[in-house]
Amino acid sequence: MAAAPTAGASPASASLPPWPSRARPAPSSRPRRPGAPGRQGSRERAWERRYGLIKPQRTPKGHRLYAREDIERVEQILQWLNRGVPVSQVRELLDRPEASEAPPADASDWPGQRAQLLTAVEALDQARLETLYGQALSLYPVPVCITELWAPVVRELEERWGEKLGDALQRLSLEAFLRTRIGTRLLHANGLARGPVLLLAPLPDDPGTLWQLLAALAASDQGYRVQLLDAPLPFGELPLAVECFHAGSVLMAGSHAGRTDLVRRQLPRLAEQLEVPVALCGPVARIREADLADTRVAVLGDDLDQAMSRLQTLLPAA
């Protein structure tokens, strides 16, 4: 989700809206503010310089100016990317306006990136992780990056990891990498977002925080101000956390089934005590859906894109 416009900014000077109108006024005389660091701005630069997808006008100082037709083109680019089309194929589709169906995605694109990411994690190759992380987010919307790259890789890694020497090191190394990158992203995004505060915490006893970190990335992209707790908080202190952070909802994430008494008794009791919605996402939500069917806990599922859509019904973003 694009950052909220600065007060008083013209349409051309705000971050690009996701669904612009069809009118085509001339470009504003004021430069459009670039996207937040690591977010829309770098993606637009890659589309312009590497792929020639957009050609905004420039001010004498080099700032981009977007006319309405440029914003419409960005909308079309996002539509193709959200349908799984590799960015390298989008320009051809834009030049053929009669095309309405996406071509088969390049078989070497997402599977190839997933294979590279798995190899980088197993090799503890931080430089390669940095490249793959930055490259994907600079070219594709966050929901596509999570659905096509990060969530499948995390699932596969969690299936592989056990008690072998090096498994714990791989997990902790990847968690530390994502915590730093996503934490930096949240720092900038929270300062621009106008949505409600979402308190995001891992389930107690969950072996890791990877799903929580991905959920934080997805929620921030939707415009929520994410307050991320990277370690479990005792349920008895969550009401205090909600009050102190002025949270509009609590979202918990987990990768494993969790303790039966925790899911069946403690979590529903917490949802009864709090005055804000309590939601659950990640694999634990799919595993424990039946156990929580008759409770006030909102089970959002392990597809994080769908989970964010369901969260909107509980806590609409800005």
Side-chain angles (χ1 to χ4, degrees):
M1 178 175 177
T6 303
S10 66
S13 65
S15 296
L16 297 180
W19 299 107
S21 65
R22 307 305 291 180
R24 298 191 176 190
S28 166
S29 60
R30 297 178 61 187
R32 188 193 68 86
R33 294 183 183 273
R39 288 168 61 87
Q40 241 177 282
S42 60
R43 185 194 309 167
E44 293 160 10
R45 286 193 294 273
W47 289 351
E48 179 182 358
R49 297 173 184 175
R50 294 175 58 182
Y51 296 97
L53 295 177
I54 54 177
K55 297 179 180 179
Q57 298 181 34
R58 297 276 183 165
T59 68
K61 292 186 178 181
H63 296 294
R64 294 177 181 83
L65 286 173
Y66 287 89
R68 186 59 60 183
E69 62 183 17
D70 297 317
I71 297 176
E72 290 180 359
R73 188 171 176 88
V74 169
E75 175 189 333
Q76 293 170 351
I77 292 169
L78 289 171
Q79 288 173 348
W80 286 119
L81 294 180
N82 284 326
R83 294 169 70 180
V85 177
V87 68
S88 59
Q89 296 182 18
V90 170
R91 183 173 181 178
E92 178 184 355
L93 292 167
L94 293 175
D95 293 339
R96 290 191 293 122
E98 72 280 0
S100 58
E101 294 298 325
D106 184 352
S108 65
D109 192 45
W110 289 115
Q113 290 190 54
R114 289 193 288 267
Q116 292 181 58
L117 185 54
L118 283 166
T119 300
V121 172
E122 292 176 338
L124 304 177
D125 188 341
Q126 296 289 301
R128 187 59 183 152
L129 277 176
E130 184 72 61
T131 298
L132 292 168
Y133 174 85
Q135 176 179 282
L137 285 173
S138 70
L139 297 176
Y140 296 94
V142 166
V144 174
C145 291
I146 293 176
T147 301
E148 297 291 346
L149 181 61
W150 284 99
V153 167
V154 168
R155 286 191 184 94
E156 184 164 346
L157 286 168
E158 290 183 333
E159 290 175 1
R160 294 184 185 185
W161 286 333
E163 302 298 328
K164 300 191 304 295
L165 181 66
D167 285 354
L169 178 58
Q170 289 178 18
R171 177 189 286 277
L172 291 175
S173 177
L174 180 58
E175 286 178 352
F177 173 86
L178 288 177
R179 187 179 299 113
T180 301
R181 275 58 179 188
I182 294 175
T184 301
R185 193 178 180 95
L186 294 180
L187 176 65
H188 293 293
N190 283 348
L192 296 171
R194 296 294 179 266
V197 174
L198 180 66
L199 180 60
L200 214 161
L203 276 177
D205 297 334
D206 199 75
T209 60
L210 291 173
W211 284 98
Q212 180 204 13
L213 290 166
L214 294 183
L217 179 62
S220 177
D221 185 65
Q222 292 298 310
Y224 294 105
R225 288 175 288 160
V226 178
Q227 182 64 49
L228 181 64
L229 302 179
D230 60 2
L233 186 69
F235 279 5
E237 293 196 24
L238 274 172
L240 177 62
V242 168
E243 180 181 355
C244 291
F245 293 125
H246 306 287
S249 180
V250 174
L251 177 60
M252 309 195 81
S255 60
H256 288 60
R259 301 196 317 268
T260 298
D261 68 310
L262 175 75
V263 175
R264 291 183 178 177
R265 296 172 52 199
Q266 297 180 39
L267 193 57
R269 189 181 305 134
L270 175 68
E272 293 286 343
Q273 293 173 350
L274 291 177
E275 297 181 359
V276 300
V278 175
L280 186 66
C281 70
V284 64
R286 174 172 47 82
I287 297 168
R288 292 294 192 174
E289 183 175 9
D291 293 321
L292 296 168
D294 297 323
T295 71
R296 293 184 60 183
V297 179
V299 180
L300 306 183
D302 62 346
D303 182 316
L304 293 182
D305 191 24
Q306 293 182 10
M308 292 303 109
S309 297
R310 293 166 182 164
L311 181 62
Q312 290 271 4
T313 65
L314 301 173
L315 184 69

